[in-house]
Amino acid sequence: MKLFVDTGSIKDIETIAALGILDGVTTNPSLLAKESGDFRQNLKRICEIVQGPVSGEVTATDFAGMLQQGHDIAKIHEHMVVKVPLTRDGIRACKALSGEGIRVNVTLCFSAAQALLAAKAGASFVSPFVGRLDDIATNGMELIREIVDIYDNYEFPTEVLVASCRHPIHVVESARMGADIATCPPAVIDQMFNHPLTTIGLEKFLKDWEKVQAVKA
Ligand code: E4P
């Protein structure tokens, strides 16, 4: 299973990439709006850091505008993936851009029916938002199970990119269900490392080792 980071922060991406466990990056207009500088330059720099797919989202809502912005985004770097919303125009743009060999990530997916449309339109990735479903008292992970089942039934090549992950359980459950990718904010990747028994165990190992060194000295 691949792990992506969901951020526009170059500093955070550099830190996580240095750990050697990062497969890609997702951004959205809200995340990029938090960063200073030109968004195209920022995306280019992110692509240089990460040797994997980097999603950049269109902000146009009509088909022609999405195509134009999609071409613009794809030109930034070979790692760029064009993110389009799951609307009628978005699905149409997905079909057109995918037909040209441009990878598309269909975002803002909240139902299995929508995920089916994304696969039929040739999306390389579909992004179901689990955290935002949980927020409205709907089980986000159930949606992942449904999408994985449907894609498996028909061997759709579209990768299930679990988005809006809020905690490590979302990532673990995604892996158990066979989702292809989880994209997480830096804080969630950080939480994945933590276990109190690891911290306590390491402290004890080091203390015991110090005792041996003291006796030898
Ligand atoms: C995914 O591509 C989105 O950028 C993201 O996961 C949305 O997460 P949020 O619901 O925490 O904003």
Side-chain angles (χ1 to χ4, degrees), residues 166-174 187-193:
R166 300 277 164 80
H167 45 67
I169 296 174
H170 276 150
V171 184
V172 171
E173 286 299 302
S174 300
V188 173
I189 295 182
D190 206 42
Q191 287 166 353
M192 289 173 72
F193 279 90

Side-chain angles (χ1 to χ4, degrees), residues 6 26-28 31 57 83 105 107 127 129 131-132 161 163-166 183 185:
D6 194 31
T26 50
T27 68
N28 63 39
L31 291 171
E57 190 162 341
K83 219 172 174 189
N105 174 358
T107 190
S127 291
F129 280 35
R132 293 193 194 185
L161 196 172
S164 188
C165 289
R166 300 277 164 80
T183 188

